[in-house]
Amino acid sequence: MKTRTKLLLGNWKMNKTLREAKAFARESVELSALAMANNVELGVAPTFLCLEAVRKTNPDIIVAAQNLHYEPKGAYTGEISIPMLKEIGISWSIIGHSERRQYNGESSLSCNRKVLAMIENDMTPVYCCGETLEEYESGITKAIVRNQIRTGLSGVAKDKASRIVVAYEPIWSIGTGVNASKEIAEEVCGFIREVLGEMFGTTVASEIRILYGGSVKPDNIKSYLSAKDIDGALVGGASLDIQSFKALLENIL
Ligand code: PGA
């Protein structure tokens, strides 16, 4: 059984121009050396425009796309395909972030096509799940998350599933400063591992990394990472500034 390497991934969303992204990438060189020395994986998810520049500026940081299309090419105006990403050396992508589900009509079913296309291409999907405030208040978090995981990761072969990363992000905690308590995050991430176990077997499930996301800041990241089923964090706002990103990393070493 493989051990789960800690992962800190910054989701830049629609932030940073190319110039700003390059400046961050230059400053991150030192951070990725620190991460590597401490066996932590460090990554950022810039916009498509900045992917190649960030990768070239810091070859030691994981560079993830924020989305991709499941077809390799064709009449899909405004989309970016896997071969396009692979050609510039990108092998990771966030899939099914709640903002894409909310503003771009993505569903667990459409995410599943993306996940399967990525797995077929030996890429690493960071598959996002999480409930709305209303669902949380109705006490149906687990049912929602189970359905998102079972649908979104359906059909992934057991021998390929361990490369998947799952991010649990309660929607009510994203960008709101209202983060889920460690106890809630721990319980849901533990539940996600159970669902993964039903799908892929307990050994594979024990190798899949599960991240918490939603208002993660330098002062609360450590507490999440101390939960046994939380292997890292997907961070939006607090990943944009290099000093804050550095503090996030230092607080989990
Ligand atoms: P946040 O975003 O850290 O700004 O809450 C997290 C995310 O959307 O991945």
Side-chain angles (χ1 to χ4, degrees), residues 70-147:
Y70 46 81
E71 290 291 351
K73 63 178 179 180
Y76 299 97
T77 303
E79 297 288 343
I80 301 285
S81 73
I82 287 175
M84 293 170 189
L85 292 170
K86 288 189 82 171
E87 194 182 271
I88 58 164
I90 302 300
S91 58
W92 286 59
S93 180
I94 298 173
I95 296 293
H97 188 278
S98 65
E99 286 149 16
R100 294 212 52 88
R101 292 179 191 251
Q102 187 182 349
Y103 305 125
N104 300 82
E106 292 196 13
S107 64
S108 298
L109 212 57
S110 62
C111 291
N112 182 240
R113 298 183 74 167
K114 299 180 185 196
V115 167
L116 292 177
M118 287 186 78
I119 296 290
E120 199 172 307
N121 283 280
D122 297 322
M123 293 176 77
T124 301
V126 180
Y127 178 65
C128 301
C129 62
E131 80 286 3
T132 62
L133 181 60
E134 202 184 355
E135 290 160 348
Y136 171 70
E137 286 174 347
S138 316
I140 55 171
T141 296
K142 287 186 180 171
I144 295 295
V145 167
R146 169 192 284 274
N147 187 38

Side-chain angles (χ1 to χ4, degrees), residues 11 13 97 99 169 173-176 213-217 234-238:
N11 174 13
K13 309 189 180 187
H97 188 278
E99 286 149 16
E169 300 200 303
S173 76
I174 296 178
T176 57
S215 298
V216 174
K217 307 285 176 218
L234 181 57
V235 186

Side-chain angles (χ1 to χ4, degrees), residues 192-237:
I192 289 171
R193 203 173 298 286
E194 274 171 44
V195 176
L196 294 170
E198 290 164 13
M199 296 178 75
F200 306 116
T202 49
T203 305
V204 173
S206 73
E207 293 172 357
I208 295 177
R209 286 179 290 178
I210 303 176
L211 313 181
Y212 169 75
S215 298
V216 174
K217 307 285 176 218
D219 63 1
N220 62 26
I221 191 167
K222 197 176 181 151
S223 126
Y224 291 116
L225 271 281
S226 69
K228 86 170 177 11
D229 284 304
I230 301 181
D231 308 305
L234 181 57
V235 186

Side-chain angles (χ1 to χ4, degrees), residues 37-77:
N38 287 279
N39 200 28
V40 172
E41 283 185 20
L42 189 66
V44 288
T47 63
F48 286 126
L49 265 184
C50 302
L51 291 171
E52 189 176 20
V54 172
R55 194 189 62 75
K56 284 186 173 161
T57 308
N58 182 358
D60 292 328
I61 200 163
I62 292 168
V63 183
Q66 298 174 12
N67 177 42
L68 47 74
H69 199 277
Y70 46 81
E71 290 291 351
K73 63 178 179 180
Y76 299 97
T77 303

